[in-house]
Amino acid sequence: RGFKAKIFPWLTGGLILAVAVVVAAVRAWTGEAVVSYLDFTESVFPFVVLFAAVAAPELVSRDLRNRVLPLYFARPLRPGDYALAKLAALVSALWLLLAVPLLLMYVVAAFNSDKLSGVWDETGDLLAGLAYAGIAAAVLGVLALLVSSLVSRRAVAAGVVVAVFLVTLPVVELIRVLAEDGGTVSVLAGIAAPSTLIGGLRQWLFEGADLIWAWYAVAAVALLAAGISLLIARYRRLSR
């Protein structure tokens, strides 16, 4: 990629890392964790969405616009292999975007702990944070790449990816307002938006929420399965 194409992704990564540096510095100075590993992913999630909105079109839109996919698939490369390789690249990049700052925060916290039990507890918190970051990366990566595979112009694809995450948030709030009772419908309304879906998974997996929150896990698995299937189907159609 050219230099211009690298500016925004590296700038986004730098901003996320800068947040981790500030959090780690406060931890070293005060000894208190102002942001947990789980909270960190949610606090920088808008930056991660922007990174995905730029990276996903770079992975697939150029190939669509230049019409080179028939050349790829003329070789012993199956459409599913192409789609899954691109998806693995994007998800791993998004996860590393979160994992590196989390590791920085962990190192500072471990060195400031005066007991081995404290380091052990910190390690458990880190693993939970890394797992949550992986969940967020998978959901975001599947959606971003699927949208980008449908649009050949990178700028348009980037805008649509951001819109998917922004437009769905008011839908969640509208459902909750219409429900008015704060009951089951209000709890499950978060499934309608990717951002709140990921937050609901946190509630069930890491916060010990009620069993009803398990529907967020069901919805996430269904979303990932449907997204991957549609992505593979999209490239199978293009290979014909």
Side-chain angles (χ1 to χ4, degrees):
R1 302 298 183 216
F3 175 74
K4 291 182 179 179
K6 298 177 182 178
I7 294 177
F8 190 83
W10 280 104
L11 178 62
T12 306
L15 289 173
I16 295 175
L17 187 61
V19 174
V21 170
V22 172
V23 172
V26 173
R27 178 69 179 271
W29 182 263
T30 64
E32 298 292 333
V34 293
V35 177
S36 70
Y37 298 107
L38 295 174
D39 289 336
F40 180 81
T41 294
E42 294 187 354
S43 64
V44 300
F45 192 72
F47 294 118
V48 183
V49 171
L50 292 176
F51 180 91
V54 174
E58 283 288 338
L59 283 171
V60 295
S61 297
R62 189 188 301 269
D63 291 341
L64 290 171
R65 188 178 70 252
N66 294 333
R67 302 176 185 273
V68 297
L69 290 174
L71 296 176
Y72 291 162
F73 301 145
R75 304 291 295 174
L77 172 68
R78 294 176 297 181
D81 296 335
Y82 176 90
L84 293 176
K86 295 289 187 177
L87 179 60
L90 181 60
V91 171
S92 60
L94 293 172
W95 183 76
L96 286 172
L97 197 67
L98 294 167
V100 172
L102 289 175
L103 288 172
L104 173 64
M105 292 166 55
Y106 169 76
V107 170
V108 173
F111 273 104
N112 279 273
S113 179
D114 54 358
K115 295 181 180 180
L116 185 59
S117 60
V119 177
W120 180 255
D121 292 340
E122 201 70 34
T123 302
D125 293 340
L126 171 67
L127 293 177
L130 292 175
Y132 185 51
I135 292 171
V139 172
L140 175 54
V142 167
L143 288 175
L145 200 66
L146 178 60
V147 170
S148 298
S149 71
L150 301 173
V151 183
S152 59
R153 297 184 65 86
R154 286 173 293 169
V156 176
V160 175
V161 170
V162 173
V164 167
F165 287 86
L166 293 181
V167 173
T168 51
L169 288 175
V171 174
V172 174
E173 295 303 321
L174 177 61
I175 294 174
R176 287 173 175 168
V177 169
L178 293 177
E180 292 183 349
D181 59 354
T184 302
V185 176
S186 295
V187 171
L188 298 181
I191 294 175
S195 301
T196 50
L197 172 62
I198 295 170
L201 278 171
R202 170 186 171 173
Q203 293 289 327
W204 184 62
L205 292 173
F206 305 107
E207 305 289 343
D210 295 337
L211 187 59
I212 191 174
W213 291 86
W215 284 105
Y216 279 82
V218 175
V221 171
L223 175 64
L224 292 175
I228 294 172
S229 299
L230 290 173
L231 189 63
I232 294 175
R234 165 65 171 160
Y235 283 101
R236 282 178 177 169
R237 188 178 69 84
L238 289 173
S239 67
R240 296 171 183 171

